[in-house]
Amino acid sequence: AAGGLPLPLSPLALLAVNLLTDGPPALALAANPPDPLAMDAPPRARDSGFIDGPLALRACAVGAYVGLATAGAYAWWFLSAPAGPHVSLWQLTHWTECIPDGDARTFVGVDCTAFDRPEPRGVALAVLVVTEMVNAFNGVSATASIATLPPWTNPWLVGACAAGVAQLLGILYSGPIAALVDVAPPLPEEWVAILALAAPVVAIDETFKAFERSRLHDRAAAAGNASQSPPAPGSQARF
């Protein structure tokens, strides 16, 4: 794993993430209401790409935050969570050295089996899925604020995300399935941290939406000024 951490999620957990976040929520986005700013934008250039620079930057920023939040939650459980082992960052990133024949002085009082416990993987899985579900609400509109077009304007999306969260809880709190995915259910105080880590994805996307609205306004104003400008002498079309 990156940074020397143990693997935050097992292959089966990653498969569960794909099934929960790339299925019903993605399909439900097709039922979004019309974007109120769609007709304010000037026509796209014929040679413009399907994904422009600002949209690519937006996707990268959101994706980077989701990844950092997931890895951060996993590390937080080891470092600071009430039920965690409270190891140091050095011990966490050098966990492979915590073996019976290793240097015991650097892992005094640390149970080496703690680095393979399912509890931090449960926290990481919950952060990843919940953050993706919250981010799905950002997709109701590419430009309008979530305050203008709230998630419940697309009931299908709300239902799909609710079903995804219910399935996540089923995985975490069903003993045989949790053991198969190698996770354990988070404690109540850990759920508080999970929700706190999921919320900033809205602020990140709202920042990019505000920039996009400003860009559309500038483009529309420029197009309007160009259409109102008198034609240059000799430029009238001949019929």
Side-chain angles (χ1 to χ4, degrees):
L5 297 175
L7 287 176
L9 296 172
S10 67
L12 281 178
L14 291 174
L15 177 60
V17 170
N18 288 332
L19 293 176
L20 294 177
T21 62
D22 294 339
L27 294 175
L29 288 173
N32 279 343
D35 194 320
L37 300 178
M39 299 306 295
D40 294 338
R44 294 171 60 93
R46 293 172 58 185
D47 58 349
S48 61
F50 183 74
I51 299 178
D52 57 8
L55 181 59
L57 179 61
R58 177 176 173 181
C60 290
V62 172
Y65 175 76
V66 174
L68 289 174
T70 302
Y74 182 75
W76 167 81
W77 188 89
F78 288 99
L79 303 177
S80 305
H86 298 124
V87 300
S88 67
L89 182 60
W90 186 94
Q91 291 171 331
L92 180 58
T93 55
H94 293 77
W95 65 278
T96 55
E97 300 178 18
C98 187
I99 54 179
D101 297 332
D103 186 358
R105 294 172 300 174
T106 57
F107 290 91
V108 176
V110 176
D111 181 6
C112 294
T113 61
F115 297 110
D116 196 35
R117 288 174 60 179
E119 288 86 350
R121 294 191 177 98
V123 171
L125 177 64
V127 167
L128 181 53
V129 172
V130 173
T131 305
E132 289 285 8
M133 294 300 175
V134 173
N135 186 48
F137 293 147
N138 290 326
V140 172
S141 172
T143 55
S145 170
I146 198 172
T148 303
L149 278 181
W152 51 85
T153 57
N154 184 347
W156 291 100
L157 179 61
V158 175
C161 290
V165 172
Q167 293 172 17
L168 169 66
L169 297 177
I171 292 173
L172 292 172
Y173 289 92
S174 175
I177 299 178
L180 181 65
V181 182
D182 196 16
V183 295
L187 299 176
E189 57 269 23
E190 293 168 353
W191 275 111
V192 173
I194 290 167
L195 296 176
L197 284 170
V201 76
V202 175
I204 295 172
D205 202 67
E206 285 293 303
T207 301
F208 282 94
K209 284 183 178 180
F211 171 76
E212 184 64 19
R213 289 194 298 271
S214 175
R215 193 167 71 113
L216 288 177
H217 179 271
D218 293 342
R219 289 173 56 194
N225 294 335
S227 63
Q228 294 174 5
S229 300
S235 61
Q236 290 85 354
R238 296 181 180 180
F239 297 95

